[in-house]
Amino acid sequence: MSSRDRNMLFFDIDGTLITEGAHILPTSARQALQRARSQGHLTFINTGRTYFNVPDYVRAIGFDGYVCGCGTYIRMNDEVLLSHTIPHDTCLEIVSVLRDCNVSAMFEGTDGLFFDYTRPASGDLARIQARFGGENFDISRSWDRPDLVFDKLVIWRDSRCDFNTFYRYITKDFTYIDRGDGFGEIVPKGFSKASGIRYLQDRLHIPLERCYAFGDSANDLPMLEYVIHSVAMGNSMDGLADKVEFVTTDIDKDGIAHAMRHYGIIS
């Protein structure tokens, strides 16, 4: 395949490559990705997860690179091309505001997670903490460690917190992504799944018409709206279908393979 015929394909993980909850990777998706790559196309993970949190069984598919943390970290062929970490002083300020506003949160770094051990975790936060602990990840890192730095964060709001005050503070320098049900994802301004695609386009000299993005939720919107060839999974959140070029079948109904055949990327 000549370089002018090579496509770049970008895939979200949760709800796109693996099912929510059970975290099952369909065999058809694995085979479609491997076939596309064997034919000379470039495949990338493009996820809100930070790099350490990309599962080994997803990495084992074989990718040319990773856009992680909503564009804050880019890696290709084992080389780190971009890595943006929130400055230490800003991290400390975020801790103070979260505590003052009684907002539950989890910090995500390139190589680990940080939890607030001054208060008991509950609800989804407690379940996530227990899941990571059960998977033998280090969950001992505290917000109060002296060298605290992280790349992004997620928060959970409820009736007991002062969300409005926190929102006014955080949106001065960060993008707030409403994931629904009181859950929010927070990323430094200027970074998104779309900024990750732009970076790789510039580096590899691949035009926008050769870029494809596959997603299912709110944090996928920047990349789905940026590319020409945007694909929403059949199991996507409400309203996403109106914002993409093509809606494929559900993740567990061969959605990835179906979309790639639709575009002629694989036969």
Side-chain angles (χ1 to χ4, degrees):
M1 173 183 291
S2 68
S3 59
R4 66 184 176 83
D5 294 325
R6 183 173 61 174
N7 296 309
M8 285 202 300
L9 314 175
F10 295 87
F11 300 88
D12 173 52
I13 295 178
D14 299 282
T16 300
L17 283 184
I18 65 174
T19 59
E20 298 281 6
H23 296 161
I24 295 170
L25 170 65
T27 299
S28 62
R30 179 189 296 107
Q31 292 173 340
L33 283 158
Q34 292 173 338
R35 184 166 186 180
R37 197 172 181 218
S38 72
Q39 293 176 353
H41 303 296
L42 298 174
T43 62
F44 293 86
I45 289 292
N46 199 341
T47 180
R49 294 180 182 225
T50 50
Y51 183 67
F52 88 96
N53 193 21
V54 178
D56 288 341
Y57 64 90
V58 171
R59 298 185 196 206
I61 297 170
F63 289 92
D64 293 282
Y66 300 85
V67 178
C68 295
C70 290
T72 58
Y73 179 93
I74 301 175
R75 184 183 189 100
M76 184 174 178
N77 298 330
D78 294 325
E79 178 186 359
V80 177
L81 305 180
L82 180 150
S83 181
H84 178 83
T85 298
I86 301 167
H88 174 65
D89 288 348
T90 303
C91 291
L92 296 182
E93 190 175 90
I94 291 171
V95 168
S96 178
V97 175
L98 283 166
R99 286 174 169 165
D100 286 346
C101 295
N102 197 32
V103 176
S104 297
M106 179 180 74
F107 302 153
E108 298 175 83
T110 301
D111 60 357
L113 302 171
F114 302 85
F115 298 94
D116 184 7
Y117 285 109
T118 66
R119 54 188 283 178
S122 61
D124 287 340
L125 176 58
R127 286 188 284 273
I128 287 174
Q129 191 171 325
R131 177 171 66 82
F132 277 107
E135 294 174 358
N136 295 318
F137 285 104
D138 180 6
I139 60 169
S140 67
R141 299 181 184 193
S142 165
W143 291 8
D144 295 304
R145 61 186 293 158
D147 58 347
L148 177 70
V149 290
F150 51 89
D151 301 347
K152 60 186 286 279
L153 63 151
V154 291
I155 67 105
W156 290 264
R157 67 181 188 270
D158 58 29
S159 59
R160 296 168 294 178
C161 73
D162 182 1
F163 175 72
N164 290 335
T165 297
F166 173 74
Y167 182 84
R168 286 194 297 271
Y169 161 76
I170 205 67
T171 53
K172 289 184 293 183
D173 297 307
F174 293 81
T175 299
Y176 181 86
I177 306 167
D178 188 348
R179 301 293 299 272
D181 298 323
F183 179 55
E185 189 168 16
I186 297 168
V187 183
K189 284 186 177 178
F191 294 90
S192 69
K193 294 187 177 186
S195 72
I197 295 176
R198 278 196 302 270
Y199 182 97
L200 288 166
Q201 270 188 275
D202 291 342
R203 186 178 182 89
L204 301 174
H205 308 293
I206 293 180
L208 193 58
E209 59 267 23
R210 288 288 176 184
C211 296
Y212 295 75
F214 300 72
D216 71 289
S217 63
N219 73 350
D220 297 317
L221 269 173
M223 71 170 177
L224 294 174
E225 293 178 336
Y226 175 67
V227 301
I228 296 170
H229 304 305
S230 53
V231 178
M233 305 302 291
N235 48 274
S236 295
M237 69 175 212
D238 290 344
L240 202 65
D242 297 333
K243 302 178 185 298
V244 298
E245 183 179 58
F246 181 67
V247 179
T248 188
T249 51
D250 286 9
I251 183 174
D252 56 0
K253 295 181 180 177
D254 303 328
I256 293 294
H258 177 68
M260 291 170 73
R261 285 194 297 268
H262 167 79
Y263 283 107
I265 295 168
I266 62 172
S267 56

